[in-house]
Amino acid sequence: MGDIYGYVRVSTKDQNEDRQLIALGEAEVPRKNIFMDKQSGKDFNRPRYNCLVKMLKEDDLLYIKSIDRLGRNYEEILEQWRVLTKEKKIDIVVLDMPLLDTRKGKDLMGTFLSDIVLQVLSFVAENERRNIRQRQREGIEAAKLRGVRFGRPLKPMPENFEQVYNRWEEKEISGIEAAGLCGMSASTFYRRAKKWRDNVR
């Protein structure tokens, strides 16, 4: 019997990993052997995951809470599963899906069933990621239609803008000088000047 490890992933720094940590604790995974990433599951370019893979050796055991914590890219989940079980020769236990326990059913039928379950769950994980992105896009579009503005709010126009703008239009001063007088960058001044000109017209 090798060492026991656990892997935890949440998509953002704001999300809570406690549920996964509790589940791994109940499986008696040593806390020092739990590796955690706080980033998207779209690929496996994750520092702590890659560190974990390097440490794993034959006969080690890896626990994860659910297959989507491993990742959300269908093809890459299947490839990583192959690397871990065939190349690294470790066992994996997915706590939320008892059929995905490579310690059990190592005969042909058991392997066949677990492969089918893995493919289905990997597909579901990627499909959910796509649905999340679609819902985000739809939410942003709906918010724009309601007049919600995204990005940093515009700073109010300085009181001297019209005066400086007129001097710049008359070529009394350069755009850089005008921007300095207004307390803004040259690019911001030119952008504001264009809007000002369009509104005046």
Side-chain angles (χ1 to χ4, degrees):
M1 183 64 183
D3 294 321
I4 299 175
Y5 292 91
Y7 180 68
V8 171
R9 184 188 66 79
V10 289
S11 296
T12 67
K13 292 181 179 179
D14 296 330
Q15 288 184 332
N16 195 308
E17 65 276 5
D18 288 351
R19 188 174 63 90
Q20 295 176 68
L21 291 173
I22 290 169
L24 295 181
E26 290 174 350
E28 299 185 349
V29 180
R31 187 63 184 252
K32 64 182 178 65
N33 287 355
I34 296 177
F35 290 71
M36 180 169 61
D37 283 306
K38 293 193 175 187
Q39 64 185 87
S40 167
K42 65 180 181 179
D43 57 44
F44 283 86
N45 295 323
R46 303 176 223 140
R48 297 300 290 160
Y49 177 79
N50 290 327
C51 181
L52 167 64
V53 172
K54 288 178 183 176
M55 291 189 66
L56 291 170
K57 60 189 184 302
E58 188 172 349
D59 294 328
D60 283 346
L61 175 60
L62 174 64
Y63 282 94
I64 56 174
K65 180 75 169 72
S66 57
I67 198 67
D68 63 341
R69 297 305 89 199
L70 184 63
R72 285 191 179 276
N73 181 299
Y74 176 73
E75 291 183 359
E76 290 197 20
I77 291 173
L78 298 180
E79 173 60 15
Q80 285 300 310
W81 192 274
R82 186 195 65 79
V83 168
L84 295 172
T85 58
K86 306 300 183 189
E87 294 183 14
K88 287 287 188 174
K89 296 181 179 178
I90 70 160
D91 279 311
I92 306 175
V93 176
V94 179
L95 294 170
D96 281 358
M97 181 53 62
L99 279 173
L100 289 179
D101 182 344
T102 61
R103 298 171 302 177
K104 304 173 183 176
K106 288 184 180 287
D107 59 3
L108 185 60
M109 181 57 73
T111 302
F112 174 71
L113 288 174
S114 64
D115 283 351
I116 290 175
V117 173
L118 174 62
Q119 291 192 40
V120 170
L121 292 178
S122 300
F123 170 78
V124 170
E126 175 162 348
N127 197 53
E128 176 61 14
R129 180 172 73 93
R130 291 181 178 180
N131 288 340
I132 289 170
R133 291 170 63 189
Q134 178 65 25
R135 288 195 294 269
Q136 287 174 337
R137 283 195 295 269
E138 290 172 355
I140 289 170
E141 289 304 314
K144 285 180 178 178
L145 290 173
R146 295 195 309 269
V148 176
R149 296 177 63 94
F150 292 89
R152 290 181 298 180
L154 287 175
K155 291 182 179 178
M157 200 77 85
E159 292 181 3
N160 65 338
F161 184 84
E162 183 176 2
Q163 178 188 1
V164 172
Y165 170 83
N166 290 333
R167 291 182 62 193
W168 172 69
E169 274 278 88
E170 296 296 325
K171 295 186 170 45
E172 292 180 22
I173 55 176
S174 68
I176 293 175
E177 289 174 312
L181 291 170
C182 291
M184 56 181 65
S185 68
S187 60
T188 301
F189 174 78
Y190 291 130
R191 188 169 61 252
R192 287 294 192 73
K194 182 180 182 306
K195 283 189 177 181
W196 181 274
R197 185 186 303 121
D198 292 344
N199 289 336
V200 168
R201 287 175 181 173

